[in-house]
Amino acid sequence: MISFIFPPHLQAGLAAGTSEIVKTGAGPLIGVARDKATGRFLGHAIGVTGNQAASQVLGNVASQMAQTSLLGMNPMAGFTGVISVAQNHHIVHQNKHIIGQLAHVTRSLGVLQTTMGFIGVGTVANVALGAVSLWQIFKLRQDVEKLGIKIDQGFLDLTSLIQDQGQAIQEQLDRVAEDIKFEQHRMELVKAYGQFSGAIELVKTGLYCDDESIRNADLANARSMLREALSIYRNPNILDDVKAPGYLRRVECAWLIEYEIARSYSLQNQLGSSCQSLLSLAEHIREDGVEVINRCETEADLDFVGPELLHIYDNDLAFLDVEHNQLDWVRSLPPEDKEQLQSLEISNPPASDRELSGEELSQLPAIAQYEDFKQKSHPLALCDQIRLMMKPQLRVDCIDYISGRAQQEGHRTLIPQYLKEASPFAIANLYHYFTLRDNSGDEDIEEIPSQPVAS
């Protein structure tokens, strides 16, 4: 469940019941507070948090973490950017949400791409994968920001950042460094990062332009460079024959670039194009997430990608939905409400109080959630659970199969009417239960398949 963080004075009004958070006609919250009595907009949220239910399970530590997007997405940056553009184009660069997000997303891409240099192309030992797992990504990004480390051609010096982690780690770095196939990939990734970083700098420059035609030209040229970078990350030559961990890192970089393409449209006040780009990105994340699971060949692969996909589902996909709803809502406003929105003061995001320790980062809700699911599910069922989360359309065939088999065995309560309300966890485990019974003579049933079980 998504929650918004408002400035103290707005939060006080919400707590007192004198104001409320605006909703779309369909029901989702927008992240704007308005006075209950007058209906006037009072201000916007300064932050957004993701999976609160999982946070409550972990207590105070998880609550302090404020659920961060793995890809550096920030819906409030997009929303306040729209307000800034509507108010006065030539002061958009003063919006700290936007400028901060551009820097953050650049660091995110550098860190994600750097870990490709550790994962490589083929199979990686479990102990080595742990050095660049979900919580390590957040730690690396935090270290880069704190130390001001320069990302040279899209790759950090991993040797210094993950030192003292054992011989297996160093051996993996050496192995990838000597891999001719990855070196070919690396050359393409360097080219892609160059296009991306050049585009981001052009966006920053464009935001300072007083002349709207020049600014729009810069943003259009930046978008062209982003598309060129995206085409490299999506090139089959660096995706084919890559195992699940490496494939996940590559498509994460592609998602991040697609997000910036969508953001470039909103900075030009082309909200329809931005909305469509966000919808396409969400669909790509879901499709790629299923493909990542399809490429899992070992439990080590699943243990690496599983928590990350759960985190992306609960946070990044949820944030995309928030941003799409916000932009679509702005498009639908009557002129008088748009004028109210344009009159709002832009509130800057809160400064981070402190860094999070490695121990705190290792308690990300998605990690605990994955471990809980793992204890209660067979790896095959866990694969299907993530597939069903990413691609709900798969539920139809699963439910038909489960209800049919249940009736054969006299389980009269397992009918489609009830199964439609069941969680992906329940559907996947029931599906696995019956397929195990149907395939009890199959000696290979305990292996993680490279193709979907639920399809």
Side-chain angles (χ1 to χ4, degrees), residues 244-265:
Y247 185 87
L248 176 59
R249 284 291 182 265
R250 284 158 175 75
V251 294
E252 283 171 342
C253 291
W255 301 339
L256 192 151
I257 294 171
E258 286 189 65
Y259 182 61
E260 287 308 303
I261 290 173
R263 179 61 55 76
S264 73
Y265 281 118

Side-chain angles (χ1 to χ4, degrees), residues 308-326:
E308 208 152 308
L309 290 174
L310 290 177
H311 185 91
I312 288 167
Y313 176 85
D314 281 334
N315 293 272
D316 296 77
L317 277 173
F319 290 175
L320 280 179
D321 193 44
V322 168
E323 187 159 351
H324 173 269
N325 289 337
Q326 289 172 332

Side-chain angles (χ1 to χ4, degrees), residues 190-439:
V190 167
K191 186 191 304 181
Y193 186 83
Q195 289 283 341
F196 173 81
S197 59
I200 295 300
E201 289 304 312
L202 193 53
V203 170
K204 291 179 182 177
T205 301
L207 294 181
Y208 281 86
C209 285
D210 293 332
D211 188 300
E212 185 174 349
S213 63
I214 296 176
R215 180 172 53 255
N216 284 334
D218 280 351
L219 290 172
N221 288 334
R223 191 159 52 243
S224 177
M225 294 172 70
L226 288 170
R227 292 192 187 282
E228 178 62 28
L230 178 62
S231 69
I232 296 174
Y233 282 110
R234 287 291 187 184
N235 189 328
N237 291 332
I238 66 169
L239 289 176
D240 290 347
D241 301 322
V242 176
K243 306 300 182 184
Y247 185 87
L248 176 59
R249 284 291 182 265
R250 284 158 175 75
V251 294
E252 283 171 342
C253 291
W255 301 339
L256 192 151
I257 294 171
E258 286 189 65
Y259 182 61
E260 287 308 303
I261 290 173
R263 179 61 55 76
S264 73
Y265 281 118
S266 66
L267 289 175
Q268 290 180 292
N269 209 27
Q270 300 301 309
L271 304 189
S273 296
S274 188
C275 283
Q276 184 57 46
S277 297
L278 292 173
L279 287 175
S280 297
L281 171 56
E283 184 60 27
H284 293 159
I285 290 176
R286 292 179 180 279
E287 292 173 353
D288 290 335
V290 172
E291 177 60 22
V292 168
I293 293 297
N294 293 349
R295 294 190 182 214
C296 286
E297 297 180 354
T298 66
E299 282 196 49
D301 286 348
L302 183 59
D303 289 344
F304 179 83
V305 304
E308 208 152 308
L309 290 174
L310 290 177
H311 185 91
I312 288 167
Y313 176 85
D314 281 334
N315 293 272
D316 296 77
L317 277 173
F319 290 175
L320 280 179
D321 193 44
V322 168
E323 187 159 351
H324 173 269
N325 289 337
Q326 289 172 332
L327 300 185
D328 203 39
W329 174 75
V330 173
R331 293 173 65 204
S332 69
L333 289 177
E336 59 271 20
D337 284 349
K338 287 184 178 180
E339 288 181 10
Q340 275 191 53
L341 192 66
Q342 292 169 15
S343 68
L344 294 181
E345 180 182 351
I346 301 296
S347 298
N348 289 319
S352 300
D353 294 333
R354 64 179 180 85
E355 292 180 18
L356 295 167
S357 68
E359 181 180 355
E360 289 170 331
L361 287 169
S362 68
Q363 296 181 54
L364 278 164
I367 296 174
Q369 187 180 28
Y370 177 81
E371 290 301 323
D372 180 57
F373 289 154
K374 187 177 178 181
Q375 290 176 14
K376 300 174 182 177
S377 303
H378 186 278
L380 288 174
L382 190 49
C383 284
D384 275 348
Q385 181 183 345
I386 298 174
R387 288 189 184 101
L388 290 170
M389 290 174 69
M390 288 292 180
K391 195 172 182 180
Q393 301 94 311
L394 293 173
R395 289 174 62 95
V396 176
D397 289 341
C398 286
I399 288 173
D400 287 345
Y401 171 76
I402 293 168
S403 61
R405 286 292 286 106
Q407 296 308 305
Q408 292 176 18
E409 299 196 14
H411 301 295
R412 301 186 182 280
T413 58
L414 295 179
I415 59 177
Q417 177 184 351
Y418 297 138
L419 291 171
K420 286 178 182 178
E421 304 301 320
S423 68
F425 172 80
I427 295 294
N429 277 334
L430 284 168
Y431 186 91
H432 181 66
Y433 169 78
F434 286 116
T435 54
L436 268 181
R437 292 173 69 85
D438 286 344
N439 298 291

